[in-house]
Amino acid sequence: MDYEAGNLLAARLAPDLHPLARQIQFVCTQAREVVCDWAVRHWHRCGNPTIWMRRVRLSIRHWSTWPPPTRR
């Protein structure tokens, strides 16, 4: 079954919800705010911008792969 991307992004999961495109935007904004909030709160612990940026990148990498892969 083929769907047009525009139709899917304009679709609503329920009448009282925003369209799918807006829901995706909300999720992305919330994720960015979490990382920014964490970075600001932990800046004073590092003092070194290089170490701080490394920790921010590692945190983003960690949370972007959530849930972690299952081990066999």
Side-chain angles (χ1 to χ4, degrees):
M1 208 180 232
D2 291 333
Y3 296 100
E4 279 194 46
N7 291 339
L8 289 175
L9 292 174
R12 294 172 185 257
L13 297 175
D16 61 340
L17 293 179
H18 289 282
L20 181 59
R22 190 78 167 139
Q23 298 286 350
I24 293 169
Q25 183 182 19
F26 289 151
V27 169
C28 293
T29 300
Q30 288 174 340
R32 184 179 63 227
E33 287 175 353
V34 166
V35 172
C36 290
D37 181 59
W38 178 90
V40 168
R41 283 190 288 125
H42 294 280
W43 168 257
H44 68 279
R45 291 184 185 173
C46 295
N48 182 333
T50 305
I51 293 172
W52 177 75
M53 278 307 298
R54 189 177 309 138
R55 288 182 182 175
V56 170
R57 286 189 190 108
L58 287 172
S59 294
I60 292 170
R61 189 176 310 136
H62 170 76
W63 290 109
S64 67
T65 58
W66 192 261
T70 56
R71 295 184 182 177
R72 293 180 188 214

